[in-house]
Amino acid sequence: MSLDAVIFDWGGTLTRWHDIDFHAESLALASAVTTAGHDPDVARAALHEAGNVVWGRSRDHQQSATLADLFDEAGLDHDPALLTAYREFWEPHTYTDPEVRATFERLRGAGLRIGVLSNTIWPRAWHVGFFERDGVYDLIDGDVYTSEIPWTKPSPRAFAAAMESLGVRDASRCVYVGDRLYDDVWGAQQAGMRAVHIPLSAIPATQVGHTEGTPDGVIHALAELPDLIATW
């Protein structure tokens, strides 16, 4: 193979796509608010709108954010120790696709490094914990979460950070796998990588960027990826 590494998106790619009740998400977030005298309904609405702003900056300006930034945007104080309800809300949506381990093993057996690059406001420890819980983190050679860097996909600098985590330098010898034609396919190609689309997600209209890339390959299950790459 003329590749050194395969880098994966997380949500909707290494996990199965789930539709999310964002009203319920905001309610769970509001349980961490510590601002004195706050109205829970007002806090929920402010956090929901803050989420739209934060993810809009990611989409339009590739500006990253953290959970703390979300609360700051809403004008609310919070205690990270009180995010339990929020994490529990998301827990059912974080489970790794059952095909991941066998797919990773085949790719590594072919001499490829495995990476992860995820647009996220969650801390690294949460993502690592999900992978460890599901027994696949030992197969990941490098992982980057945009909550820990200044940029989000589709910025080429986000993809460069993922390459750096893997110790690879030639983008043309990397392939990115994701479920979004803007963030993942177009973004990876702008960074000089090949891109594989896994079109199983119902991307909300507000999350669709200004450009849709044309993938170098399409798969409908992760298990199909090693055979596709072997044809290159």
Side-chain angles (χ1 to χ4, degrees):
M1 298 182 189
S2 59
L3 294 174
D4 295 325
V6 183
I7 306 172
F8 293 84
D9 169 53
W10 181 65
T13 301
L14 294 179
T15 69
R16 299 283 175 89
W17 177 266
H18 291 177
D19 292 325
I20 302 300
D21 181 344
F22 290 108
H23 178 87
E25 179 202 36
S26 298
L27 284 175
L29 266 176
S31 66
V33 172
T34 58
T35 302
H38 75 277
D39 182 319
D41 289 334
V42 172
R44 185 213 62 77
L47 287 164
H48 180 76
E49 179 55 30
N52 291 336
V53 171
V54 163
W55 287 109
R57 289 177 187 152
S58 172
R59 180 193 63 228
D60 299 334
H61 306 292
Q62 292 77 65
Q63 180 179 332
S64 67
T66 64
L67 279 167
D69 294 327
L70 183 67
F71 283 94
D72 288 345
E73 180 64 33
L76 296 166
D77 298 323
H78 83 292
D79 182 350
L82 299 178
L83 287 168
T84 303
Y86 174 70
R87 181 161 175 168
E88 288 176 349
F89 167 83
W90 275 101
E91 187 84 13
H93 311 298
T94 64
Y95 285 92
T96 304
D97 188 308
E99 296 182 358
V100 166
R101 184 164 187 91
T103 300
F104 281 7
E105 287 175 339
R106 285 189 64 192
L107 295 171
R108 289 180 113 227
L112 297 169
R113 300 179 190 181
I114 303 298
V116 174
L117 171 62
S118 175
N119 278 2
T120 181
I121 61 174
W122 298 347
R124 158 179 282 274
W126 288 20
H127 289 280
V128 171
F130 299 144
F131 284 130
E132 290 178 335
R133 175 199 64 198
D134 298 337
V136 298
Y137 194 60
D138 60 306
L139 297 176
I140 296 173
D141 299 298
D143 48 331
V144 173
Y145 309 99
T146 60
S147 56
E148 60 187 1
I149 62 175
W151 322 282
T152 62
K153 297 176 295 182
S155 170
R157 288 186 280 190
F159 290 95
M163 289 176 55
E164 184 177 356
S165 77
L166 292 169
V168 298
R169 296 185 177 182
D170 186 348
S172 69
R173 296 180 63 85
C174 298
V175 60
Y176 191 81
V177 183
D179 63 328
R180 296 171 184 254
L181 291 172
Y182 172 59
D183 309 55
D184 301 331
V185 173
W186 184 77
Q189 291 171 337
Q190 296 306 298
M193 300 180 182
R194 299 183 191 185
V196 173
H197 188 213
I198 183 162
L200 303 181
S201 302
I203 309 299
T206 57
Q207 297 179 20
V208 175
H210 58 69
T211 304
E212 291 189 347
T214 301
D216 298 285
V218 177
I219 57 174
H220 293 87
L222 289 170
E224 299 172 6
L225 182 64
D227 289 337
L228 171 64
I229 289 176
T231 67
W232 292 348

